[in-house]
Amino acid sequence: DHPVQRAVRDALCRCCGVEETSLQSGIDGCCAPNYALPIQALARGMAALAVPSTLPPAMDAAARRLHGAVRAHPLLGSGHGRADALMIGKAAFAATTKAGAEGIHCAIIPGLGMGVAVKIDDGAGRAAETVIASVLAALGVLDANDPDIAALVKAPLFNTGGDMVGERRVAPAITDTFRRLR
C-alpha cells in the first residue's frame, strides 16, 4: 500500500485495461510487487506503451522516458549476450523487447502502434525468445537473414555430445498471421 506501489498498480491497470480487484500479486525477489495478468491484458499494456499518446499526459511522458532509457541502454535491462539487448539493437531501436518470468516475452513496436506478449506454457525462456524474434521478423522489424537474428529464429539444438539434433522454430501459421499485420 505504499504510494509508489499504488501508483505502479494504477498505471498497470490503466495500461492493461484490468480492474484492480482482479489483480493477484506476488514477489519476484526484486522487492517490487508483480501481478498475474491474462496474456491479452499484457499485450494491451505493451500496445499502450507503443502509443503512449493514448495515455494521460503524465503517463505518456513517463512511457516515452522509459522507452527512451531502454533504447539508450538495452544492456541494463537484459545484460550482455542476452536476446533482448541483441533484438533492441538489431531492430535499430524500432522495437523494445523484454523477457519475463516463466516463458513470458513482450515487445513494444511504436512504429506499428503494436504490443506483443508471448507465454510459453512450459515456461521455457528459449522458446519465448524464438517466438518473439520470429514475430518481429515477420513484422519486418528484424531482419531474419541477419546471422544473429537467424540464430534466434531457427535456433539449433545440440545433444550432450555436441551434435546438432534439431532446431527451435515457430509454426508458419504464427509468422504468417503477423506478416499479414504489416
Side-chain angles (χ1 to χ4, degrees):
D1 287 323
H2 187 277
V4 171
Q5 292 177 342
R6 283 198 304 269
V8 168
R9 187 172 51 241
D10 293 346
L12 180 78
C13 289
R14 168 70 184 204
C15 287
C16 296
V18 296
E19 296 294 324
E20 182 179 338
T21 56
S22 72
L23 294 178
Q24 295 180 8
S25 66
I27 305 272
D28 72 351
C30 294
C31 300
N34 287 269
Y35 297 97
L37 294 169
I39 196 73
Q40 297 89 345
L42 186 55
R44 193 173 7 253
M46 297 301 107
L49 293 176
V51 188
S53 61
T54 62
L55 300 170
M59 289 178 70
D60 176 355
R64 290 175 194 279
R65 280 193 315 273
L66 177 63
H67 197 218
V70 172
R71 290 189 321 185
H73 305 284
L75 292 177
L76 294 178
S78 68
H80 290 280
R82 302 287 303 273
D84 287 325
L86 173 72
M87 288 188 281
I88 292 167
K90 294 286 182 168
F93 307 108
T96 301
T97 64
K98 182 66 178 102
E102 299 301 321
I104 294 284
H105 219 119
C106 297
I108 300 166
I109 312 160
L112 298 176
M114 183 183 293
V116 178
V118 171
K119 166 63 174 143
I120 303 300
D121 284 344
D122 71 359
R126 295 177 309 163
E129 288 176 359
T130 296
V131 173
I132 207 76
S134 297
V135 165
L136 292 176
L139 289 169
V141 177
L142 289 175
D143 179 2
N145 295 317
D146 178 290
D148 294 325
I149 299 305
L152 289 173
V153 170
K154 289 189 177 178
L157 298 173
F158 299 94
N159 67 13
T160 56
D163 300 318
M164 186 174 156
V165 295
E167 67 185 10
R168 283 190 325 266
R169 62 182 182 267
V170 176
I174 294 172
T175 52
D176 290 348
T177 297
F178 282 93
R179 276 190 193 93
R180 288 192 297 270
L181 295 175
R182 280 180 158 181

